[in-house]
Amino acid sequence: MSASVPASASVPTPARPAGTPTSAELLDFARRAAADADLVASLPLDPQGRTWVRLKGPRGSEAWLIGWPPGTGTGWHDHAESVGAFTTAAGTLKENSLAARLPTDGWKTLELTEGVDRERKLATGQGRAFGRNHVHEVLNESPTEHAVSVHAYYPPLPQIRRYSRTGAVLRLEHVERPEDWQ
């Protein structure tokens, strides 16, 4: 199935249950964890691939401390129904994202309209929060320096949808579940 999604497309967002962390609270947690020099220094860094350590997030959220070797990235993905946030603890990360709500199910290929691409650089101490179904990729573009970041999600990630992108065409490639990351 193929569809076209304008930048102004809107999909209703379900109400957040009382007592669950907001994306702003997750960002506050990520900022505090990223500022913890001992925590950041405890992460083993590998020159060949990303490394990570699971953290205890606030009020049942899932959190990760992630090391990014030079030139690595996530590829295009989303976090399904989870809200989230991340903060750069060391180095600089680049986030490419889409400023459009995508349909959540029933499609394999979308043609994106002009004006949906967003790019931001997040240096040490900078972070951002995002809502459900946020499609992005995160990159360490440095040719020589590792980057480290803290990520938090609520609810804990039920799945990650992975996409490929060629120009304006976004294609759903596969869905990962938590057991794939253990």
Side-chain angles (χ1 to χ4, degrees), residues 39-55 64-74 87-93 138-140 145-151:
L39 175 66
V40 173
S42 73
L43 180 67
L45 299 177
D46 181 335
Q48 302 304 312
R50 286 189 297 155
T51 54
W52 54 87
V53 172
R54 190 174 204 144
L55 304 174
W64 299 89
L65 177 66
I66 301 175
W68 305 77
T72 58
T74 60
T87 298
T88 303
T92 299
L93 292 172
V138 179
L139 309 159
N140 176 8
E145 300 296 321
H146 262 81
V148 176
S149 57
V150 176
H151 301 245

Side-chain angles (χ1 to χ4, degrees), residues 129-153:
F130 52 86
R132 291 171 171 82
N133 305 304
H134 174 71
V135 177
H136 69 165
E137 67 175 347
V138 179
L139 309 159
N140 176 8
E141 294 184 315
S142 172
T144 58
E145 300 296 321
H146 262 81
V148 176
S149 57
V150 176
H151 301 245
Y153 311 98

Side-chain angles (χ1 to χ4, degrees), residues 85-172:
F86 69 97
T87 298
T88 303
T92 299
L93 292 172
K94 176 183 173 186
E95 181 197 35
N96 295 318
S97 63
L98 300 178
R101 289 227 180 233
L102 303 182
T104 56
D105 293 309
W107 65 276
K108 293 285 183 188
T109 304
L110 291 175
E111 185 171 336
L112 304 169
T113 60
E114 289 186 35
V116 298
D117 287 300
R118 299 292 180 264
E119 176 184 307
R120 61 172 48 99
K121 300 249 182 185
L122 299 161
T124 300
Q126 295 180 319
R128 61 115 61 245
F130 52 86
R132 291 171 171 82
N133 305 304
H134 174 71
V135 177
H136 69 165
E137 67 175 347
V138 179
L139 309 159
N140 176 8
E141 294 184 315
S142 172
T144 58
E145 300 296 321
H146 262 81
V148 176
S149 57
V150 176
H151 301 245
Y153 311 98
Y154 189 87
L157 297 174
Q159 64 183 16
I160 292 179
R161 290 180 289 240
R162 299 261 176 209
Y163 305 96
S164 63
R165 176 142 186 220
T166 305
V169 176
L170 187 71
R171 179 180 306 278
L172 177 63

